Amino acid sequence: MADGNGVLIVGEFQDGAIASVTGELLGVGRKLADSLGEELSAVFLGHNIAEEAKGAFAQGADKVYVADAPILEQYQPESYATILERMCTESPPNVVVVGVTYVGRDLAPRLACKLRTGLAMDCTELKIDGGALIATRPVFGGKALADVDCGPIKPAMASVRIKSQEALEPDASRQGEVIMVDATVDLDQAKTRVVDNVLVEAEGVKLEDARIVVGGGRGLGSTDNWKKLEELAADLSGAVGSTRGACDEGYCSMDTQLGITSKSVAPELYLAVGISGASQHMSGVTFSKHIMAINRDADAPIFRHSECGVVGRWEDVLPAFHAKVKELMAD
Amino acid sequence: MKFLVFVKQIPDPDIPPNQFRIDPQTNNVIPPSGSSPAVSTYDELAVEATLRLRDELGGEITVISLCNNPVMNVIKKPLAMGSDELILLQDQAFEGGDAYTTARVLAAAANKVGDYDMILTGRQAGDWDNGQVGSYLAEMLGIPCIINIGALEVRDGKIRGDRTIRDGREIVEAPLPALVTAGDEVGVARYPRLRDIMAAGRKQAEVWNAQDLGLDPSTIGDAGALTKVQRLYVEEKVSECEFIEGESPAEMGVNLALKLRELRII
Ligand SMILES: Cc1cc2nc3c(=O)[nH]c(=O)nc-3n(C[C@H](O)[C@H](O)[C@H](O)COP(=O)(O)OP(=O)(O)OC[C@H]3O[C@@H](n4cnc5c(N)ncnc54)[C@H](O)[C@@H]3O)c2cc1C
Ligand SMILES: Nc1ncnc2c1ncn2[C@@H]1O[C@H](COP(=O)(O)O)[C@@H](O)[C@H]1O
C-alpha cells in the first residue's frame, strides 16, 4: 500500500492456522484488487504469528502485515481497533474487508466509526463499480437484497458473510516478506475483557467444516428426539445445526444455530428436519450445494428453498431413511 | 442506576416472503394491508434485559427512539413492559440517514439526557439488519461496548455479559458506564399486562428535534450519510422442489436416501 491505495483484508487465525474465512476474504479481495488494478494486502493481529501469516501469500496476498504483541493473542476490541485505525490512517487503503465472525462483527463497526467511513455489514457480494465499492447484502431478514454504495471516503469498508466467497487455489510459488506494523497500544484503553469462557468441544465433525449438515427445528419436539438427529449426523460423518425455534425450546446449544444472526454454513448437503424455512434461518444456509427437507406440512416455506423434499412426520420418515443411509454407506 | 434503551420501530418482521413488496422508487417496504409495524425483535430483548437489571438493582429506564412516523401503541410497548419514560427523536432532517447518522442523533440524545450508567440496544434492527448502531453509539460516546449478550450482571461498578462464541460461550466484563447490545441469548421478552398497556397509553412521550439536540443538519440524515442504498430488491428464487414419492413415509425415507446416493452425496 506504499502508494496509499489497494485492498486490505483483516485476517484471522483458527486453531493456530489461517482461518478458512480469511482464505475467502483473500479470494474476494484478489478480485477487488484486480479490478482496481492495485495490490491486495492482508493484516494479522496476534502474538508469534508472523510465520503462519506468510501463508496468506499463497492464498492471494501481495503484502502481508503483522501486528505482534502479547495483548493481541486473543481478540481485544479496543486494541485491535486502535492498531487498525492507525494503520488505515497513516496510509489509507481504498477498501478494507473484514469477515463476519465473532471478531469481525465487533471489530468492523468500531473501526469504521473511528475512521468515519462507510461500512456495509454482512455482505454476500462485493464489486468495484466506477472506482467505488458496491456491496450486496441480504436485508429484512433475508427477504430482500440491497446494493449499497460504501461511499467516497477511504477506506470504504465491508464485512462479508462466511462461506459467501470462494478462496483461491493456493499457489505455493507466491512468496514474500512479512511487514511488521506498530503494535503499541495503551493498555488503559483496553476496557473490555474476557473474564471466563466455556468451550464446547464439538464431538465429531465441526459444524462449519461439515460436508453434510442435518438441521433440526422446533418440529423435533424434544431433547431426546434431538439425539436421533445427532446419531444420524454422526453416521453421515456430518454435524447438526439448529434453528432459533429449536434453541428457544432448549433442544440444543446456541452455538449450533444457523441463520442471519448466527452461523453460516455451506455444506454439500443441508437436510432440514422439522424446520419451517424462515428467511432469517435460510440466510445462513443458502450457500449449501443441495438443500433437502423433511416436513409434515406440504406448504412449509422450506420446500420453496429445497431441491427435494419429503412431506411427512419425521418420526415416520427418518428411521427408514437413517437405516437406508447406513446400508448404502456400508457398501 | 440510570438506564437508556434505544428501540426502533420497523415493518412487521414476520411479513411472509411472498407478500414482501418494495417500492423501487423510494426503496421503502410496502407492508401488506392489515400488517402493523413492530418494535424490532432484539430491541424488545434489550428492553427485557434492562427490566431484569432494573428489577434487581433499582433505577429508571428511559426509552429513546428515532422515529418520524411512530405508531403510538407500538412504540409505547417498552413503557407497557415497565420502562419509565419515552423520548421520540423526530425531524425531517433525520430522513435518508444510515447507521452512522442514526448513531450521531442517538448519541446527541444520550448526551442530552446525561448521567447514564448503562445503555442497551438491540444487536441489529430487523429491517436493515446492520448491526452497527450500538457499536457506533458506544464509540461516539467513548464508552465500552459488549455486543450480542444474553445474561447480564452488575458487580463493583462493572457490567458482565455472556455471549455465544464460535465454540461455546464467554463472559465479557467492562467498567460502567457501558453499552451492551442484546442478542438471542436474552431469551424471551415479557408480555405487557393489559393494565400496563392502558397506563402506557396515557403517558406522554417527550419529543426532541435536531435543534433541541444541537445537531447541524449537514451532518445528519441524507446529507451526513456515509453509505447510500442504490437499490433494494427481492431476488426471484426459482427452486422447484421435487417431492419424493412412496407408498408410505418409510418408503419415502428410503427413496430420499437413494436420491442422496444418486447425487453422490453419500
Ligand atoms: C430479527 C430476527 C432474526 C432471526 N434470526 C434467526 C437466525 O439466525 N436463525 C434462525 O434459525 N432463526 C432466526 N429467526 C427466527 C425465525 O424467524 C424463525 O422463527 C425460526 O427460524 C423458526 O424455527 P423453526 O423452523 O425451528 O420453528 P417453526 O417455525 O415453529 O417450524 C417448525 C416446523 O416443523 C414442522 N413440524 C412440526 N412437527 C413436525 C413433525 N413431527 N415432522 C416433521 N415436521 C414437523 C412444522 O410443520 C413447521 O414447519 C430470527 C427472527 C428475527 C425476527
Ligand atoms: N432509529 C432508531 N431509533 C432508536 N434506536 C435505534 C434506531 N436504529 C437503530 N437503533 C438501535 O441500534 C440497534 C442496532 O441497529 P442497526 O445497526 O440499525 O442494526 C437497534 O437494535 C436499536 O437498538
Side-chain angles (χ1 to χ4, degrees), chain B residues 6-8 43 64-66 102 106 121-122 124-125 130-133:
Chain B
F6 287 89
V7 305
K8 186 176 192 187
D43 303 3
I64 305 178
S65 184
L66 185 170
T102 301
L106 303 188
T121 73
Q124 68 193 59
N130 282 326
Q132 282 163 282
V133 168

Side-chain angles (χ1 to χ4, degrees), chain A residues 98-127:
Chain A
V98 180
V100 180
T101 59
Y102 293 101
V103 172
R105 282 194 209 265
D106 187 72
L107 180 61
R110 284 179 191 266
L111 182 59
C113 194
K114 283 183 190 295
L115 296 169
R116 292 185 183 216
T117 194
L119 162 68
M121 288 285 275
D122 204 11
C123 307
T124 50
E125 223 181 291
L126 301 180
K127 65 172 185 218

Side-chain angles (χ1 to χ4, degrees), chain A residues 1-258:
Chain A
M1 289 179 305
D3 41 2
N5 52 25
V7 174
L8 176 70
I9 66 109
V10 179
E12 287 181 48
F13 285 98
Q14 177 78 48
D15 307 324
I18 293 181
S20 57
V21 59
T22 298
E24 295 156 25
L25 294 186
L26 286 164
V28 66
R30 186 72 263 164
K31 203 181 69 178
L32 297 176
D34 289 346
S35 60
L36 285 164
E38 295 173 2
E39 279 180 329
L40 172 63
S41 307
V43 58
F44 293 88
L45 298 88
H47 191 40
N48 298 328
I49 50 165
E51 212 35 55
E52 288 79 11
K54 279 188 181 159
F57 287 114
Q59 297 192 59
D62 299 311
K63 287 195 175 134
V64 176
Y65 295 86
V66 164
D68 186 299
I71 192 181
L72 305 178
E73 179 138 22
Q74 300 295 328
Y75 175 57
Q76 203 294 312
E78 290 88 355
S79 308
Y80 273 49
T82 304
I83 290 170
L84 291 174
E85 178 195 11
R86 186 163 54 220
M87 197 177 157
C88 292
T89 311
E90 280 169 4
S91 160
N94 265 319
V95 172
V96 170
V97 188
V98 180
V100 180
T101 59
Y102 293 101
V103 172
R105 282 194 209 265
D106 187 72
L107 180 61
R110 284 179 191 266
L111 182 59
C113 194
K114 283 183 190 295
L115 296 169
R116 292 185 183 216
T117 194
L119 162 68
M121 288 285 275
D122 204 11
C123 307
T124 50
E125 223 181 291
L126 301 180
K127 65 172 185 218
I128 302 289
D129 187 2
L133 177 65
I134 309 295
T136 303
R137 46 190 307 271
V139 293
F140 291 88
K143 284 172 222 171
L145 291 172
D147 292 345
V148 180
D149 181 339
C150 300
I153 302 168
K154 274 190 186 185
M157 283 186 66
S159 66
V160 299
R161 184 173 293 184
I162 298 185
K163 307 283 187 196
S164 66
Q165 312 296 320
E166 302 252 354
L168 304 173
E169 268 311 312
D171 173 358
S173 71
R174 293 177 54 94
Q175 299 274 342
E177 282 308 307
V178 166
I179 304 163
M180 301 305 286
V181 299
D182 182 2
T184 43
V185 286
D186 178 356
L187 293 179
D188 291 341
Q189 290 305 311
K191 292 229 165 66
T192 52
R193 69 191 185 92
V194 174
V195 289
D196 199 5
N197 59 29
V198 187
L199 296 184
V200 188
E201 253 323 305
E203 287 170 36
V205 187
K206 278 205 161 128
L207 181 52
E208 290 82 352
D209 308 327
R211 227 187 113 252
I212 297 181
V213 174
V214 182
R218 185 175 275 129
L220 261 289
S222 76
T223 315
D224 277 345
N225 290 340
W226 198 262
K227 297 210 178 77
K228 304 201 172 112
L229 278 196
E230 288 172 338
E231 285 160 20
L232 172 63
D235 285 337
L236 285 163
S237 308
V240 175
S242 67
T243 63
R244 159 90 70 81
C247 290
D248 282 352
E249 300 294 339
Y251 301 158
C252 52
S253 75
M254 206 73 140
D255 55 19
T256 59
Q257 189 178 306
L258 302 173

Side-chain angles (χ1 to χ4, degrees), chain B residues 7-26:
Chain B
V7 305
K8 186 176 192 187
Q9 177 183 301
I10 62 167
D12 181 359
D14 292 323
I15 299 174
N18 55 359
Q19 292 177 31
F20 194 82
R21 303 266 181 284
I22 288 156
D23 178 348
Q25 249 64 56
T26 59

